[in-house]
């Protein structure tokens, strides 16, 4: 299924009605800051995002440990597999409630044909099946501007096994060296767009800022700065117009 949310919708900050029972919610910086009462809120936020996306590539080690090929499973299948793992109480509900307008307590269930889904204990008609999950998946990706760039596609089985082992070692190293370090990606963006941006986003209105706006503000500022440097180089003759990608001059993209 090819699902794309238009930039105009994301810039509006509006929620998106998905079914009669569920709407996709666009969280604010303030809602992110409320996680855990503010303690380790960004770390937990990215844990929620990672859990909801359940990207097979990012979970290749987990999948290999249970005998699954990350190249042969979908995010929905990984999501359902992860529900069998131990998580803190209400972890799944808290993650879902960040990106769903309605509040529900979901449990894993199964249809008559054997396919898995989530069902609300408050409203049995409120369900998250594969199709609904795919909309949620793309929504979380879009809001957080998650990119697939940098992923390696192994050419054969040998290369896949090497990639998994390399990733396994890297995960162990990160866990050992950085497990207690704070995560400041959003915090750094909050500072950058407040004090280095155009003044639209400030510390005084940050809590009401939609998360997509934060990522986009930084993205646009970088594009604008890059275009300005290119034009300056062309004007002063340090760049040849033949060597310039004209698309880079359109900082609105």
């Amino acid at each position: 299924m090819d699902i794309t949310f238009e930039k105009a919708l994301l810039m509006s900050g509006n929620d998106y009605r998905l079914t009669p029972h569920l709407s996709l919610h666009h969280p604010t910086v303030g809602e992110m800051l409320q996680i855990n009462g503010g303690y380790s809120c960004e770390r937990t936020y990215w844990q929620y995002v990672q859990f909801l996306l359940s990207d097979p590539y990012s979970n290749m080690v987990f999948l290999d440990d249970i005998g699954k090929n990350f190249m042969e499973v979908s995010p929905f299948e990984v999501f359902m597999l992860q529900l069998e793992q131990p998580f803190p109480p209400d972890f799944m509900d808290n993650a879902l409630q960040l990106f769903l307008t309605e509040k529900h307590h979901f449990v894993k269930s199964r249809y008559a044909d054997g396919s898995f889904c989530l069902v609300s204990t408050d409203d049995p008609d409120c369900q998250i099946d594969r199709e609904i999950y795919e909309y949620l998946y793309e929504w979380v990706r879009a809001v957080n501007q998650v990119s697939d760039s940098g992923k390696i596609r192994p050419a054969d089985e040998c290369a896949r096994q090497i990639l998994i082992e390399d990733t396994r070692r890297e995960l162990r190293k990160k866990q050992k060296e950085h497990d207690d370090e704070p995560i400041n990606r959003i915090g750094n963006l909050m500072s950058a767009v407040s004090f280095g941006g155009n003044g639209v986003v400030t510390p005084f209105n940050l809590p009401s800022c939609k998360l997509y706006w934060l990522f986009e503000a930084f993205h646009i500022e970088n594009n604008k700065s890059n275009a300005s440097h290119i034009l300056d180089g062309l004007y002063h003759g340090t760049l040849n117009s033949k060597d310039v990608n004209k698309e880079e001059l359109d900082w609105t993209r």
Side-chain angles (χ1 to χ4, degrees):
M1 181 182 296
D2 184 18
I3 302 168
T4 303
F5 292 102
E6 293 181 344
K7 190 172 183 176
L9 173 63
L10 294 166
M11 282 302 302
S12 76
N14 293 337
D15 293 348
Y16 178 80
R17 171 64 70 177
L18 193 54
T19 73
H21 306 277
L22 289 174
S23 302
L24 297 172
H25 177 60
H26 191 157
T28 64
V29 171
E31 288 171 322
M32 185 275 291
L33 293 172
Q34 291 173 10
I35 298 172
N36 299 331
Y39 176 75
S40 197
C41 57
E42 183 170 348
R43 176 182 290 276
T44 305
Y45 175 79
W46 288 117
Q47 289 173 345
Y48 289 160
V49 169
Q50 184 179 24
F51 168 72
L52 293 177
L53 292 182
S54 293
D55 176 38
Y57 187 92
S58 300
N59 288 279
M60 66 173 72
V61 172
F62 160 68
L63 292 169
D64 188 66
D65 287 343
I66 61 174
K68 300 283 186 180
N69 184 338
F70 78 91
M71 300 178 69
E72 297 176 350
V73 295
S74 68
F76 179 73
E77 290 172 295
V78 179
F79 181 66
M80 287 297 162
L81 285 169
Q82 288 202 116
L83 295 181
E84 303 300 324
Q85 306 303 306
F87 283 102
D90 300 323
F91 181 88
M92 179 181 69
D93 285 338
N94 290 338
L96 288 169
Q97 285 173 12
L98 264 177
F99 295 97
L100 293 177
T101 306
E102 300 80 9
K103 308 304 179 187
H104 293 278
H105 172 60
F106 287 98
V107 294
K108 187 176 181 180
S109 187
R110 212 167 191 168
Y111 292 122
D113 63 2
S115 60
F116 289 103
C117 66
L118 294 180
V119 176
S120 169
T121 58
D122 313 304
D123 180 3
D125 291 329
C126 178
Q127 303 171 5
I128 299 178
D129 58 12
R130 180 183 293 269
E131 182 178 356
I132 297 300
Y133 171 81
E134 288 175 355
Y135 274 94
L136 174 64
Y137 174 89
E138 293 299 337
W139 180 259
V140 175
R141 272 173 51 90
V143 164
N144 293 282
Q145 294 195 352
V146 175
S147 171
D148 284 331
S149 64
K151 289 184 178 180
I152 300 171
R153 184 167 183 81
D156 52 35
E157 179 59 19
C158 180
R160 187 181 75 87
Q161 289 298 331
I162 292 173
L163 175 62
I164 290 173
E165 292 310 310
D166 286 347
T167 304
R168 190 187 302 276
R169 283 192 293 271
E170 187 65 25
L171 288 174
R172 286 172 180 165
K173 181 180 178 182
K174 286 183 178 180
Q175 187 173 17
K176 183 179 180 180
E177 296 180 355
H178 306 292
D179 195 41
D180 295 328
E181 287 189 8
I183 295 177
N184 291 314
R185 183 186 174 194
I186 293 177
N188 288 338
L189 288 178
M190 290 164 65
S191 176
V193 302
S194 294
F195 302 118
N198 60 15
V200 174
V201 179
T202 73
F204 305 104
N205 60 22
L206 263 173
S208 61
C209 179
K210 297 290 185 175
L211 280 164
Y212 177 84
W213 299 348
L214 194 66
F215 293 111
E216 186 65 7
F218 187 73
H219 171 73
I220 289 294
E221 188 63 30
N222 278 346
N223 282 357
K224 192 173 182 180
S225 177
N226 182 59
S228 178
H229 281 93
I230 291 174
L231 290 172
D232 188 61
L234 291 172
Y235 179 79
H236 289 93
T238 57
L239 283 178
N240 190 317
S241 61
K242 294 180 180 179
D243 299 326
V244 173
N245 181 354
K246 301 301 188 295
E247 290 184 0
E248 291 188 68
L249 296 176
D250 180 12
W251 54 265
T252 65
R253 68 190 188 287

